[in-house]
Amino acid sequence: MKKIVFLLAFGVVLFSCKNETKTTEENVEDVKKELAYASFGMEINDTDALSSERMMEHYKGLKAGDTVPAKMKAKIVEVCSKKGCWMKLDMDGENQVMVKFKDYGFFMPLNAEGNVVVNGKAFVTETSVEELRHYAEDAGKSKEEIAAITESKFEYRFEADGVLLEQ
């Protein structure tokens, strides 16, 4: 009888420990997910972030002067090589969005790459030749490439108040 009680108690303890370990492993996974981003600017999360393709559908419906509050996830194409004061994101393989940071309140690491979640407002604008040349200079383009910019450009833009950089 003592053996049966002992085996039963041992089984309960073993089962409890196994569940305890599983719960701990799940908690570690949750922590890893929470720690998967470096945060810049306002504290945000990745909940309800639109894919870049879905966001592009919204951009196509905008006219100059329109703004839309948005949160989206996209891949970094380029970051300002001087200060990290802007970045360009790939939207659908054909289009890019120029992202600046609200009130220049924060900057991205110069070597930032990979996916980001940006929160803020989306809009479209006509960018002047002077401003396009300034961005080309910031990006380290050659004098010839900068001089070749002779026309303003209709651009998709985003003013981010918070950014999560996937680690």
Side-chain angles (χ1 to χ4, degrees), residues 41-79:
M42 185 176 86
E43 188 175 319
I44 64 170
N45 60 47
D46 61 357
T47 305
D48 300 327
L50 297 175
S51 69
S52 55
E53 293 83 7
R54 179 77 176 107
M55 188 64 211
M56 199 62 222
E57 293 174 23
H58 289 287
Y59 270 113
K60 290 182 178 179
L62 296 177
K63 297 182 285 304
D66 292 347
T67 61
V68 176
K71 185 191 302 184
M72 68 175 177
K73 185 173 187 173
K75 184 177 175 85
I76 297 173
V77 173
E78 184 177 11
V79 175

mmCIF file of all heavy atoms in Angstrom, residues 41-79:
data_model
loop_
_atom_site.group_PDB
_atom_site.id
_atom_site.type_symbol
_atom_site.label_atom_id
_atom_site.label_comp_id
_atom_site.label_asym_id
_atom_site.label_seq_id
_atom_site.Cartn_x
_atom_site.Cartn_y
_atom_site.Cartn_z
ATOM 1 N N GLY A 41 11.526 56.543 -29.963
ATOM 2 C CA GLY A 41 10.408 57.482 -29.899
ATOM 3 C C GLY A 41 9.373 57.040 -28.897
ATOM 4 O O GLY A 41 9.686 56.413 -27.887
ATOM 5 N N MET A 42 8.110 57.345 -29.210
ATOM 6 C CA MET A 42 6.993 56.999 -28.343
ATOM 7 C C MET A 42 6.893 55.477 -28.209
ATOM 8 O O MET A 42 7.165 54.747 -29.159
ATOM 9 C CB MET A 42 5.699 57.544 -28.968
ATOM 10 C CG MET A 42 4.469 57.358 -28.127
ATOM 11 S SD MET A 42 3.029 58.133 -28.908
ATOM 12 C CE MET A 42 2.498 56.802 -29.976
ATOM 13 N N GLU A 43 6.508 55.005 -27.033
ATOM 14 C CA GLU A 43 6.353 53.575 -26.815
ATOM 15 C C GLU A 43 5.143 53.068 -27.585
ATOM 16 O O GLU A 43 4.036 53.589 -27.435
ATOM 17 C CB GLU A 43 6.174 53.286 -25.325
ATOM 18 C CG GLU A 43 6.190 51.817 -24.997
ATOM 19 C CD GLU A 43 6.131 51.552 -23.502
ATOM 20 O OE1 GLU A 43 6.798 52.274 -22.752
ATOM 21 O OE2 GLU A 43 5.405 50.621 -23.125
ATOM 22 N N ILE A 44 5.369 52.089 -28.450
ATOM 23 C CA ILE A 44 4.293 51.496 -29.249
ATOM 24 C C ILE A 44 4.417 49.980 -29.183
ATOM 25 O O ILE A 44 5.375 49.455 -28.630
ATOM 26 C CB ILE A 44 4.337 51.964 -30.725
ATOM 27 C CG1 ILE A 44 5.613 51.485 -31.436
ATOM 28 C CG2 ILE A 44 4.195 53.470 -30.815
ATOM 29 C CD1 ILE A 44 5.622 51.699 -32.943
ATOM 30 N N ASN A 45 3.446 49.273 -29.773
ATOM 31 C CA ASN A 45 3.538 47.821 -29.900
ATOM 32 C C ASN A 45 3.228 47.456 -31.347
ATOM 33 O O ASN A 45 2.881 48.316 -32.146
ATOM 34 C CB ASN A 45 2.600 47.112 -28.909
ATOM 35 C CG ASN A 45 1.155 47.502 -29.129
ATOM 36 O OD1 ASN A 45 0.661 47.507 -30.261
ATOM 37 N ND2 ASN A 45 0.456 47.832 -28.059
ATOM 38 N N ASP A 46 3.349 46.184 -31.680
ATOM 39 C CA ASP A 46 3.125 45.775 -33.065
ATOM 40 C C ASP A 46 1.702 45.287 -33.331
ATOM 41 O O ASP A 46 1.378 44.871 -34.434
ATOM 42 C CB ASP A 46 4.133 44.710 -33.479
ATOM 43 C CG ASP A 46 4.045 43.450 -32.639
ATOM 44 O OD1 ASP A 46 3.238 43.404 -31.686
ATOM 45 O OD2 ASP A 46 4.798 42.499 -32.918
ATOM 46 N N THR A 47 0.824 45.403 -32.336
ATOM 47 C CA THR A 47 -0.554 44.984 -32.484
ATOM 48 C C THR A 47 -1.249 45.817 -33.553
ATOM 49 O O THR A 47 -1.122 47.035 -33.581
ATOM 50 C CB THR A 47 -1.305 45.137 -31.139
ATOM 51 O OG1 THR A 47 -0.601 44.419 -30.140
ATOM 52 C CG2 THR A 47 -2.725 44.613 -31.238
ATOM 53 N N ASP A 48 -1.976 45.159 -34.422
ATOM 54 C CA ASP A 48 -2.770 45.802 -35.476
ATOM 55 C C ASP A 48 -1.947 46.554 -36.516
ATOM 56 O O ASP A 48 -2.479 47.418 -37.218
ATOM 57 C CB ASP A 48 -3.816 46.753 -34.886
ATOM 58 C CG ASP A 48 -4.802 46.047 -33.968
ATOM 59 O OD1 ASP A 48 -5.114 44.869 -34.235
ATOM 60 O OD2 ASP A 48 -5.264 46.656 -33.002
ATOM 61 N N ALA A 49 -0.662 46.267 -36.634
ATOM 62 C CA ALA A 49 0.147 46.916 -37.673
ATOM 63 C C ALA A 49 -0.235 46.340 -39.029
ATOM 64 O O ALA A 49 -0.315 45.128 -39.199
ATOM 65 C CB ALA A 49 1.634 46.699 -37.410
ATOM 66 N N LEU A 50 -0.484 47.226 -39.993
ATOM 67 C CA LEU A 50 -0.821 46.799 -41.347
ATOM 68 C C LEU A 50 0.432 46.304 -42.059
ATOM 69 O O LEU A 50 1.528 46.814 -41.818
ATOM 70 C CB LEU A 50 -1.402 47.966 -42.143
ATOM 71 C CG LEU A 50 -2.716 48.565 -41.659
ATOM 72 C CD1 LEU A 50 -3.079 49.787 -42.502
ATOM 73 C CD2 LEU A 50 -3.841 47.540 -41.705
ATOM 74 N N SER A 51 0.262 45.376 -42.966
ATOM 75 C CA SER A 51 1.382 44.967 -43.812
ATOM 76 C C SER A 51 1.686 46.128 -44.758
ATOM 77 O O SER A 51 0.839 46.995 -45.002
ATOM 78 C CB SER A 51 1.011 43.724 -44.621
ATOM 79 O OG SER A 51 0.028 44.047 -45.587
ATOM 80 N N SER A 52 2.888 46.152 -45.301
ATOM 81 C CA SER A 52 3.255 47.232 -46.216
ATOM 82 C C SER A 52 2.362 47.207 -47.461
ATOM 83 O O SER A 52 1.975 48.264 -47.968
ATOM 84 C CB SER A 52 4.729 47.130 -46.601
ATOM 85 O OG SER A 52 5.021 45.863 -47.131
ATOM 86 N N GLU A 53 1.997 46.026 -47.928
ATOM 87 C CA GLU A 53 1.136 45.920 -49.106
ATOM 88 C C GLU A 53 -0.243 46.508 -48.823
ATOM 89 O O GLU A 53 -0.802 47.225 -49.642
ATOM 90 C CB GLU A 53 1.001 44.459 -49.561
ATOM 91 C CG GLU A 53 2.279 43.856 -50.093
ATOM 92 C CD GLU A 53 3.216 43.334 -49.004
ATOM 93 O OE1 GLU A 53 2.834 43.316 -47.794
ATOM 94 O OE2 GLU A 53 4.346 42.948 -49.349
ATOM 95 N N ARG A 54 -0.787 46.209 -47.655
ATOM 96 C CA ARG A 54 -2.113 46.737 -47.266
ATOM 97 C C ARG A 54 -2.036 48.257 -47.097
ATOM 98 O O ARG A 54 -2.935 48.981 -47.514
ATOM 99 C CB ARG A 54 -2.568 46.063 -45.972
ATOM 100 C CG ARG A 54 -3.902 46.537 -45.477
ATOM 101 C CD ARG A 54 -5.051 45.923 -46.281
ATOM 102 N NE ARG A 54 -6.312 46.331 -45.713
ATOM 103 C CZ ARG A 54 -7.122 47.225 -46.285
ATOM 104 N NH1 ARG A 54 -6.818 47.765 -47.423
ATOM 105 N NH2 ARG A 54 -8.255 47.550 -45.712
ATOM 106 N N MET A 55 -0.956 48.740 -46.511
ATOM 107 C CA MET A 55 -0.790 50.190 -46.334
ATOM 108 C C MET A 55 -0.680 50.883 -47.688
ATOM 109 O O MET A 55 -1.175 51.993 -47.864
ATOM 110 C CB MET A 55 0.441 50.471 -45.472
ATOM 111 C CG MET A 55 0.580 51.916 -45.076
ATOM 112 S SD MET A 55 -0.788 52.454 -44.037
ATOM 113 C CE MET A 55 -0.866 54.164 -44.510
ATOM 114 N N MET A 56 -0.047 50.232 -48.641
ATOM 115 C CA MET A 56 0.095 50.813 -49.975
ATOM 116 C C MET A 56 -1.265 51.071 -50.606
ATOM 117 O O MET A 56 -1.449 52.064 -51.316
ATOM 118 C CB MET A 56 0.948 49.876 -50.854
ATOM 119 C CG MET A 56 1.528 50.530 -52.060
ATOM 120 S SD MET A 56 2.650 51.857 -51.603
ATOM 121 C CE MET A 56 2.140 53.051 -52.818
ATOM 122 N N GLU A 57 -2.241 50.217 -50.328
ATOM 123 C CA GLU A 57 -3.605 50.433 -50.822
ATOM 124 C C GLU A 57 -4.160 51.748 -50.281
ATOM 125 O O GLU A 57 -4.821 52.491 -51.001
ATOM 126 C CB GLU A 57 -4.513 49.267 -50.416
ATOM 127 C CG GLU A 57 -4.164 47.958 -51.094
ATOM 128 C CD GLU A 57 -4.990 46.792 -50.573
ATOM 129 O OE1 GLU A 57 -6.100 47.018 -50.020
ATOM 130 O OE2 GLU A 57 -4.521 45.642 -50.708
ATOM 131 N N HIS A 58 -3.879 52.060 -49.017
ATOM 132 C CA HIS A 58 -4.325 53.330 -48.425
ATOM 133 C C HIS A 58 -3.615 54.507 -49.090
ATOM 134 O O HIS A 58 -4.233 55.536 -49.368
ATOM 135 C CB HIS A 58 -4.063 53.350 -46.917
ATOM 136 C CG HIS A 58 -4.953 52.431 -46.147
ATOM 137 N ND1 HIS A 58 -6.281 52.684 -45.929
ATOM 138 C CD2 HIS A 58 -4.699 51.237 -45.545
ATOM 139 C CE1 HIS A 58 -6.824 51.706 -45.232
ATOM 140 N NE2 HIS A 58 -5.875 50.810 -44.986
ATOM 141 N N TYR A 59 -2.303 54.371 -49.313
ATOM 142 C CA TYR A 59 -1.538 55.450 -49.946
ATOM 143 C C TYR A 59 -2.101 55.799 -51.322
ATOM 144 O O TYR A 59 -2.180 56.968 -51.688
ATOM 145 C CB TYR A 59 -0.060 55.069 -50.093
ATOM 146 C CG TYR A 59 0.787 55.455 -48.918
ATOM 147 C CD1 TYR A 59 1.363 54.483 -48.110
ATOM 148 C CD2 TYR A 59 1.041 56.792 -48.616
ATOM 149 C CE1 TYR A 59 2.159 54.827 -47.022
ATOM 150 C CE2 TYR A 59 1.832 57.143 -47.536
ATOM 151 C CZ TYR A 59 2.377 56.164 -46.749
ATOM 152 O OH TYR A 59 3.166 56.502 -45.671
ATOM 153 N N LYS A 60 -2.470 54.798 -52.076
ATOM 154 C CA LYS A 60 -2.953 55.042 -53.439
ATOM 155 C C LYS A 60 -4.247 55.841 -53.451
ATOM 156 O O LYS A 60 -4.568 56.478 -54.448
ATOM 157 C CB LYS A 60 -3.084 53.726 -54.192
ATOM 158 C CG LYS A 60 -1.722 53.120 -54.500
ATOM 159 C CD LYS A 60 -1.811 51.843 -55.276
ATOM 160 C CE LYS A 60 -0.398 51.344 -55.583
ATOM 161 N NZ LYS A 60 -0.368 50.107 -56.313
ATOM 162 N N GLY A 61 -4.977 55.853 -52.354
ATOM 163 C CA GLY A 61 -6.219 56.625 -52.270
ATOM 164 C C GLY A 61 -6.015 58.046 -51.758
ATOM 165 O O GLY A 61 -6.968 58.826 -51.688
ATOM 166 N N LEU A 62 -4.787 58.412 -51.380
ATOM 167 C CA LEU A 62 -4.524 59.744 -50.819
ATOM 168 C C LEU A 62 -4.198 60.759 -51.904
ATOM 169 O O LEU A 62 -3.593 60.433 -52.922
ATOM 170 C CB LEU A 62 -3.353 59.684 -49.843
ATOM 171 C CG LEU A 62 -3.520 58.847 -48.575
ATOM 172 C CD1 LEU A 62 -2.222 58.852 -47.768
ATOM 173 C CD2 LEU A 62 -4.667 59.373 -47.731
ATOM 174 N N LYS A 63 -4.580 62.021 -51.628
ATOM 175 C CA LYS A 63 -4.192 63.146 -52.469
ATOM 176 C C LYS A 63 -3.283 64.043 -51.632
ATOM 177 O O LYS A 63 -3.285 63.969 -50.399
ATOM 178 C CB LYS A 63 -5.433 63.934 -52.895
ATOM 179 C CG LYS A 63 -6.416 63.128 -53.747
ATOM 180 C CD LYS A 63 -7.595 63.949 -54.188
ATOM 181 C CE LYS A 63 -8.633 64.255 -53.178
ATOM 182 N NZ LYS A 63 -9.337 63.329 -52.428
ATOM 183 N N ALA A 64 -2.526 64.906 -52.299
ATOM 184 C CA ALA A 64 -1.659 65.845 -51.571
ATOM 185 C C ALA A 64 -2.501 66.605 -50.547
ATOM 186 O O ALA A 64 -3.586 67.088 -50.857
ATOM 187 C CB ALA A 64 -0.988 66.806 -52.547
ATOM 188 N N GLY A 65 -2.015 66.661 -49.317
ATOM 189 C CA GLY A 65 -2.735 67.337 -48.234
ATOM 190 C C GLY A 65 -3.500 66.386 -47.335
ATOM 191 O O GLY A 65 -3.854 66.744 -46.213
ATOM 192 N N ASP A 66 -3.789 65.174 -47.799
ATOM 193 C CA ASP A 66 -4.485 64.178 -46.977
ATOM 194 C C ASP A 66 -3.499 63.555 -45.996
ATOM 195 O O ASP A 66 -2.336 63.334 -46.341
ATOM 196 C CB ASP A 66 -5.058 63.046 -47.836
ATOM 197 C CG ASP A 66 -6.197 63.489 -48.733
ATOM 198 O OD1 ASP A 66 -6.722 64.598 -48.528
ATOM 199 O OD2 ASP A 66 -6.552 62.715 -49.642
ATOM 200 N N THR A 67 -3.954 63.242 -44.802
ATOM 201 C CA THR A 67 -3.160 62.481 -43.837
ATOM 202 C C THR A 67 -4.039 61.391 -43.230
ATOM 203 O O THR A 67 -5.246 61.574 -43.086
ATOM 204 C CB THR A 67 -2.599 63.353 -42.694
ATOM 205 O OG1 THR A 67 -3.684 63.933 -41.978
ATOM 206 C CG2 THR A 67 -1.679 64.430 -43.212
ATOM 207 N N VAL A 68 -3.421 60.273 -42.895
ATOM 208 C CA VAL A 68 -4.134 59.140 -42.312
ATOM 209 C C VAL A 68 -3.320 58.613 -41.138
ATOM 210 O O VAL A 68 -2.141 58.292 -41.305
ATOM 211 C CB VAL A 68 -4.298 58.001 -43.351
ATOM 212 C CG1 VAL A 68 -4.944 56.779 -42.725
ATOM 213 C CG2 VAL A 68 -5.082 58.454 -44.552
ATOM 214 N N PRO A 69 -3.916 58.526 -39.923
ATOM 215 C CA PRO A 69 -3.187 57.886 -38.824
ATOM 216 C C PRO A 69 -3.003 56.407 -39.165
ATOM 217 O O PRO A 69 -3.925 55.765 -39.663
ATOM 218 C CB PRO A 69 -4.106 58.066 -37.612
ATOM 219 C CG PRO A 69 -5.409 58.549 -38.115
ATOM 220 C CD PRO A 69 -5.248 58.963 -39.542
ATOM 221 N N ALA A 70 -1.795 55.890 -38.920
ATOM 222 C CA ALA A 70 -1.526 54.512 -39.336
ATOM 223 C C ALA A 70 -0.424 53.879 -38.507
ATOM 224 O O ALA A 70 0.394 54.562 -37.894
ATOM 225 C CB ALA A 70 -1.124 54.499 -40.816
ATOM 226 N N LYS A 71 -0.426 52.552 -38.539
ATOM 227 C CA LYS A 71 0.660 51.745 -37.976
ATOM 228 C C LYS A 71 0.927 50.657 -39.003
ATOM 229 O O LYS A 71 0.009 49.958 -39.421
ATOM 230 C CB LYS A 71 0.253 51.121 -36.647
ATOM 231 C CG LYS A 71 1.394 50.380 -35.965
ATOM 232 C CD LYS A 71 0.956 49.535 -34.775
ATOM 233 C CE LYS A 71 0.255 50.295 -33.701
ATOM 234 N NZ LYS A 71 -0.057 49.431 -32.526
ATOM 235 N N MET A 72 2.170 50.537 -39.428
ATOM 236 C CA MET A 72 2.483 49.546 -40.456
ATOM 237 C C MET A 72 3.825 48.884 -40.196
ATOM 238 O O MET A 72 4.667 49.416 -39.492
ATOM 239 C CB MET A 72 2.480 50.185 -41.842
ATOM 240 C CG MET A 72 3.594 51.154 -42.088
ATOM 241 S SD MET A 72 3.564 51.714 -43.802
ATOM 242 C CE MET A 72 4.911 52.892 -43.743
ATOM 243 N N LYS A 73 3.974 47.725 -40.813
ATOM 244 C CA LYS A 73 5.219 46.977 -40.736
ATOM 245 C C LYS A 73 5.804 46.920 -42.144
ATOM 246 O O LYS A 73 5.085 46.646 -43.105
ATOM 247 C CB LYS A 73 4.961 45.562 -40.221
ATOM 248 C CG LYS A 73 6.219 44.762 -39.997
ATOM 249 C CD LYS A 73 5.921 43.438 -39.327
ATOM 250 C CE LYS A 73 7.208 42.734 -38.972
ATOM 251 N NZ LYS A 73 7.010 41.540 -38.175
ATOM 252 N N ALA A 74 7.097 47.226 -42.262
ATOM 253 C CA ALA A 74 7.751 47.211 -43.572
ATOM 254 C C ALA A 74 9.245 46.950 -43.388
ATOM 255 O O ALA A 74 9.758 46.961 -42.268
ATOM 256 C CB ALA A 74 7.519 48.533 -44.292
ATOM 257 N N LYS A 75 9.921 46.756 -44.509
ATOM 258 C CA LYS A 75 11.356 46.471 -44.497
ATOM 259 C C LYS A 75 12.142 47.734 -44.832
ATOM 260 O O LYS A 75 11.808 48.459 -45.771
ATOM 261 C CB LYS A 75 11.674 45.377 -45.520
ATOM 262 C CG LYS A 75 13.124 44.954 -45.516
ATOM 263 C CD LYS A 75 13.340 43.808 -46.500
ATOM 264 C CE LYS A 75 14.794 43.451 -46.609
ATOM 265 N NZ LYS A 75 15.250 42.538 -45.617
ATOM 266 N N ILE A 76 13.204 47.984 -44.074
ATOM 267 C CA ILE A 76 14.063 49.142 -44.314
ATOM 268 C C ILE A 76 14.848 48.936 -45.603
ATOM 269 O O ILE A 76 15.449 47.886 -45.806
ATOM 270 C CB ILE A 76 15.055 49.357 -43.148
ATOM 271 C CG1 ILE A 76 14.305 49.676 -41.855
ATOM 272 C CG2 ILE A 76 16.046 50.469 -43.487
ATOM 273 C CD1 ILE A 76 15.200 49.734 -40.619
ATOM 274 N N VAL A 77 14.847 49.976 -46.441
ATOM 275 C CA VAL A 77 15.641 49.971 -47.662
ATOM 276 C C VAL A 77 16.907 50.792 -47.447
ATOM 277 O O VAL A 77 17.992 50.415 -47.877
ATOM 278 C CB VAL A 77 14.836 50.564 -48.846
ATOM 279 C CG1 VAL A 77 15.697 50.721 -50.081
ATOM 280 C CG2 VAL A 77 13.610 49.735 -49.130
ATOM 281 N N GLU A 78 16.755 51.923 -46.733
ATOM 282 C CA GLU A 78 17.870 52.853 -46.563
ATOM 283 C C GLU A 78 17.629 53.703 -45.322
ATOM 284 O O GLU A 78 16.494 54.008 -44.979
ATOM 285 C CB GLU A 78 17.922 53.741 -47.813
ATOM 286 C CG GLU A 78 19.062 54.707 -47.885
ATOM 287 C CD GLU A 78 19.054 55.499 -49.206
ATOM 288 O OE1 GLU A 78 18.072 55.451 -49.970
ATOM 289 O OE2 GLU A 78 20.059 56.171 -49.439
ATOM 290 N N VAL A 79 18.721 54.095 -44.665
ATOM 291 C CA VAL A 79 18.668 54.997 -43.511
ATOM 292 C C VAL A 79 19.644 56.129 -43.773
ATOM 293 O O VAL A 79 20.713 55.915 -44.352
ATOM 294 C CB VAL A 79 19.066 54.267 -42.198
ATOM 295 C CG1 VAL A 79 19.127 55.230 -41.024
ATOM 296 C CG2 VAL A 79 18.108 53.137 -41.901
#
